[in-house]
Amino acid sequence: MKGNVILWTLLLTLAMTACGQNMEVALEERLPEPEIQEAEQCEESLRESRRIMSEEALEYTNREENSNGFVLTEREEEGVPFLEFTRPDAPDFSLRINQDLTEAVVEYQERTMSLERVETPNGAPYDWYVSAGYGGLVSGYSMPFWVDLTGDGQPELAWLRHGSGTGFHESVCTVYNVTGEGEIIPLVEPWEEMAASISVSPQAWEDGYIRSFVTDSQGQLHTAWQWVQEEVWQDCWYWPGKSGWTSLEIDQERGTLEAVMMFGLEVPDMFGIYMGELRTELRYDAERGVIVRSGPVSVSVYDKPEN
């Protein structure tokens, strides 16, 4: 009897020891090795280094007031990231931009089309940089719009870019016919004819400002003021060309563009001083197949600052 008790005790001890060893092995297998932890950290770091946009900029772009109705996500395929715009109201639409921001491909209504890049004023192609203005003026503005500019009841994809910098502002709007083959619908910039629609006649220098008469295309006369030093005011002149500050804005409800241009006198050795603004509207001309100025140029002049 005593031998049986000893035997059972030995067997139970062996079983408990084996069970404990198995549990330790299982725990060791579940705990990550330092090498695994390091590899996971490296993979996460590599993933972050491949990001096209920061989480903060992505979140800012997707805010309702900034998104223009799009949803922007950053995705990966085979380890290669890309940006993708989609729209809840157009489930068959997708706009993908590659990691280098050099290619944009649209899928819409069972068609796939590559969007043509347009050139900057110095002849280099614009990239597909995305920014709803996050980070202030340094980041500029570069975003898509979904708007019927041709009036045919079908949307066009418009890409609006605003530049930035001291004394210089450039707006470029490119309109793509995504219900066709993705071709660009030409847009005739109105800046030269806007500038030529007025005449400016300097009259006198008063309290630090030139007083000028501005005559618009309807023959109306406006009195405008522009700060300038007294010794050079008689050397100032109006040049009816494109100003250093211009802006295009899209009216999604009306399917139009508003063009705004500051104007002022050319002043020797000075830049960026203006006396007023010119505004006009652009619409699609179905006969010509282009977007052109469709309304009069309105003039507004700045008030003379109080001394």
Side-chain angles (χ1 to χ4, degrees), residues 247-264:
S247 179
L248 288 171
E249 298 294 342
I250 296 175
D251 188 325
Q252 297 186 82
E253 293 184 1
R254 299 177 61 235
T256 60
L257 282 82
E258 182 185 44
V260 182
M261 186 181 81
M262 291 184 179
F263 72 93

Side-chain angles (χ1 to χ4, degrees), residues 69-71 86-93:
F70 292 92
V71 176
T86 56
R87 292 187 64 85
D89 59 353
D92 58 345
F93 168 83

Side-chain angles (χ1 to χ4, degrees), residues 40-54:
E40 290 177 349
Q41 292 173 355
C42 289
E43 183 178 352
E44 179 65 24
S45 177
L46 181 61
R47 188 181 299 112
E48 286 298 316
S49 69
R50 290 200 304 261
R51 288 195 64 89
I52 304 173
M53 295 181 67
S54 68

Side-chain angles (χ1 to χ4, degrees), residues 105-277:
V105 177
V106 167
E107 293 183 4
Y108 185 53
Q109 296 180 344
E110 300 182 351
R111 289 188 303 278
T112 301
M113 57 202 87
S114 296
L115 300 185
E116 179 184 345
R117 296 169 73 189
V118 295
E119 291 185 348
T120 67
N122 64 6
Y126 281 105
D127 61 20
W128 293 101
Y129 174 65
V130 176
S131 174
Y134 177 79
L137 290 176
V138 175
S139 66
Y141 183 90
S142 182
M143 284 287 290
F145 286 76
W146 191 251
V147 55
D148 179 12
L149 288 169
T150 61
D152 62 356
Q154 298 294 321
E156 280 75 49
L157 180 70
W159 197 285
L160 182 62
R161 297 176 172 91
H162 293 315
S164 60
T166 304
F168 179 80
H169 188 102
E170 182 80 19
S171 285
V172 175
C173 183
T174 312
V175 182
Y176 298 93
N177 180 19
V178 291
T179 57
E181 300 300 326
E183 69 274 13
I184 293 177
I185 297 175
L187 186 153
V188 180
E189 292 190 341
W191 314 121
E192 300 298 331
E193 56 181 323
M194 288 175 69
S197 70
I198 62 172
S199 62
V200 181
S201 302
Q203 299 298 306
W205 186 86
E206 299 178 9
D207 301 324
Y209 296 86
I210 296 180
R211 175 171 55 83
S212 299
F213 288 154
V214 179
T215 307
D216 62 25
S217 58
Q218 285 76 44
Q220 295 181 326
L221 199 64
H222 310 262
T223 301
W225 304 85
Q226 181 172 332
W227 180 86
V228 69
Q229 295 176 343
E230 182 178 12
E231 57 268 23
V232 300
W233 82 268
Q234 291 180 326
D235 298 324
C236 300
W237 73 98
Y238 177 69
W239 179 65
K242 182 177 179 180
S243 167
W245 196 101
T246 59
S247 179
L248 288 171
E249 298 294 342
I250 296 175
D251 188 325
Q252 297 186 82
E253 293 184 1
R254 299 177 61 235
T256 60
L257 282 82
E258 182 185 44
V260 182
M261 186 181 81
M262 291 184 179
F263 72 93
L265 295 174
E266 295 287 330
V267 181
D269 303 321
M270 291 185 63
F271 180 73
I273 304 298
Y274 304 103
M275 62 174 58
E277 294 180 359

Side-chain angles (χ1 to χ4, degrees), residues 149-150 185-186 282-294:
L149 288 169
T150 61
I185 297 175
L282 282 70
R283 285 182 179 271
Y284 180 72
D285 185 326
E287 292 185 1
R288 299 169 57 187
V290 298
I291 298 171
V292 294
R293 184 173 71 87
S294 62

